Amino acid sequence: SPMIALDCEGVNLGRPGGKLCLVQIASRKAGVFLFDVIGCPKLFDAGLREICEDPNIVKTIHDCRMDFRALSAHNVSL
């Protein structure tokens, strides 16, 4: 999909020692997906990083400060 909505959930996101727990991605065509980063820490290597870093996909993120920090801690660029 050329446009997605992205949201991150966790404990103390964006702070030292904070923990990313869940990444939510939604698109009009494919629906909503929830990624359990705690249960499967290799999700970023299994394709989630590729989606986040694809410059051809427009990402809509509301108040992205904490989300950006949490993803950066996992070496994911937006």
Side-chain angles (χ1 to χ4, degrees):
S1 182
M3 185 177 359
I4 62 171
L6 188 139
D7 186 39
C8 297
E9 302 295 337
V11 179
N12 294 323
L13 281 184
R15 297 191 175 132
K19 191 170 209 167
L20 178 62
C21 300
L22 182 74
V23 176
Q24 304 168 74
I25 294 179
S27 77
R28 290 184 188 262
K29 290 183 182 180
V32 178
F33 298 90
L34 303 175
F35 299 95
D36 179 0
V37 179
I38 299 283
C40 189
K42 295 188 180 198
L43 280 171
F44 289 107
D45 296 329
L48 192 53
R49 176 178 281 108
E50 184 178 337
I51 293 168
C52 291
E53 294 181 347
D54 188 332
N56 297 312
I57 299 175
V58 175
K59 290 100 180 156
T60 301
I61 308 169
H62 295 282
D63 194 8
C64 66
R65 293 172 291 176
M66 299 303 165
D67 295 353
F68 177 77
R69 290 180 188 149
L71 292 170
S72 293
H74 286 270
N75 298 316
V76 176
S77 301
L78 290 175

